[in-house]
């Protein structure tokens, strides 16, 4: 299924212990220490650990260096508090910021209004259900219906509330597209060549994610832990390109 938004892109999740380690990783990827190795890495994701340690200055540095920065703070609080945080982050020049769609319509609308009032162009992305959550975990925290049903319900909620995109697993992409068409960008973590081995539960390969219509693939440990991350990136891209041409 085509995503309707053009060729899918990889977002590198900079889930490393320090800002220095993250910059070293980028240097290795973008400039390449291997002969001729250089990948078109444009999108980077900063999560709570790096943001807690390095803060706004680090993000501003990445933006200055030309990266499209995705700040993955998954804001989830009362509408007034989330609106305040969005306003405080709106001047950073982010490409995207995450909110937890479980916060409900009023929270999502307040966030979109705060972003618009600040004159910011950053995308707001609603997290549907974490890709580390399976049906058993979902039920254990009081979730009604299945994970897949909840993701579709939350996709509709995000589209209706004026949020720009949805974070979901590769497995729900087709159902999301059927529910909201091209109204939302889809940002997809849980990219694994084979299932199992860590905390991610609802996974698929990069090729399957693209075939199912993903716009952006979020990849952390498969790149960060790779012996040769440049090679891994190229393998991911090959898998994605093959899927695009099918
Ligand atoms: O290392 P891995 O490839 O699992 O990294 C996935 C990244 O995407 C992590 O930074 C994680 O916080 C983030 N994420 C996720 N599931 C979501 C939303 C974000 O795995 N639903």
């Amino acid at each position: 299924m085509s995503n309707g938004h053009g060729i899918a892109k990889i977002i590198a999740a900079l889930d490393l212990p320090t800002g220095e380690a993250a910059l070293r990783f980028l240097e290795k990827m973008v400039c390449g220490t291997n002969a001729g190795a250089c990948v078109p890495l444009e999108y980077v994701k900063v999560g709570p650990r790096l943001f807690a340690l390095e803060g706004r200055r680090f993000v501003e540095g990445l933006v200055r260096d030309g990266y499209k920065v995705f700040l993955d703070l998954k804001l989830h609080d009362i509408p007034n508090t989330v609106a305040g945080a969005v306003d405080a982050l709106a001047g950073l020049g982010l490409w995207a910021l995450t909110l937890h769609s479980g916060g409900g319509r009023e929270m999502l609308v307040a966030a979109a209004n705060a972003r618009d009032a600040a004159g910011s162009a950053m995308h707001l992305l609603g997290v549907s259900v974490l890709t580390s959550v399976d049906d058993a975990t979902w039920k254990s925290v009081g979730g009604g219906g299945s994970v897949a049903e909840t993701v579709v319900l939350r996709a509709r909620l995000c589209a209706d509330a004026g949020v720009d995109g949805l974070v979901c697993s590769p497995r729900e992409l087709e159902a999301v597209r059927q529910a909201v068409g091209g109204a939302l960008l889809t940002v997809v973590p849980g990219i694994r060549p084979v299932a199992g081995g860590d905390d991610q539960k609802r996974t698929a390969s990069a090729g399957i994610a693209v075939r199912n219509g993903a716009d952006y693939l979020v990849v952390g440990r498969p790149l960060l832990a790779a012996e040769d991350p440049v090679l891994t990136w190229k393998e991911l891209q090959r898998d994605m390109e093959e899927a695009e041409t099918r």
Side-chain angles (χ1 to χ4, degrees):
M1 182 184 272
S2 155
N3 66 25
H5 300 127
I7 294 169
K9 300 247 175 13
I10 299 174
I11 302 174
L14 302 178
D15 294 332
L16 287 159
T18 63
E20 204 193 326
L23 294 179
R24 267 203 313 270
F25 168 77
L26 287 175
E27 219 167 276
K28 190 155 61 170
M29 293 294 284
V30 178
C31 306
T33 47
N34 307 334
C38 172
V39 300
L41 196 168
E42 201 184 353
Y43 293 84
V44 293
K45 186 173 88 73
V46 173
R49 180 177 188 169
L50 215 48
F51 194 65
L53 276 175
E54 312 288 353
R56 299 176 68 93
R57 289 241 173 99
F58 182 72
V59 170
E60 282 162 353
L62 290 172
V63 172
R64 249 195 327 273
D65 287 348
Y67 292 106
K68 295 194 169 131
V69 181
F70 168 15
L71 187 59
D72 189 16
L73 296 184
K74 299 185 180 68
L75 301 174
H76 190 179
D77 211 312
I78 61 170
N80 185 56
T81 301
V82 168
V86 169
D87 178 61
L89 295 165
L92 276 177
L94 298 173
W95 170 72
L97 172 70
T98 39
L99 315 161
H100 209 295
S101 64
R105 188 176 194 283
E106 202 187 324
M107 187 204 86
L108 297 169
V109 169
N113 288 344
R115 183 266 319 266
D116 295 345
S120 161
M122 73 182 166
H123 294 306
L124 294 177
L125 308 175
V127 176
S128 55
V129 176
L130 295 171
T131 42
S132 56
V133 170
D134 57 14
D135 277 308
T137 307
W138 183 240
K139 290 222 161 43
S140 77
V141 296
S146 68
V147 167
E149 286 161 355
T150 307
V151 171
V152 169
L153 186 145
R154 290 182 174 185
R156 289 205 179 96
L157 185 67
C158 285
D160 183 49
V163 163
D164 311 283
L166 187 79
V167 184
C168 66
S169 99
R171 301 185 188 181
E172 295 104 31
L173 281 164
E174 294 192 74
V176 166
R177 286 270 173 249
Q178 275 166 18
V180 301
L184 297 171
L185 294 170
T186 51
V187 177
V188 180
I191 303 301
R192 295 289 183 272
V194 285
D198 60 27
D199 55 352
Q200 294 285 23
K201 305 276 180 4
R202 303 186 339 269
T203 62
S205 70
I208 289 174
V210 167
R211 218 169 306 140
N212 290 353
D215 291 307
Y216 296 90
L217 273 51
V218 180
V219 187
R221 286 163 290 180
L223 280 174
L224 303 173
E227 210 164 294
D228 185 345
V230 169
L231 183 67
T232 303
W233 175 287
K234 290 184 173 166
E235 285 167 358
L236 285 165
Q237 278 221 299
R238 198 173 324 123
D239 195 16
M240 292 164 68
E241 277 157 23
E242 278 170 17
E244 302 263 7
T245 55
R246 274 188 205 170

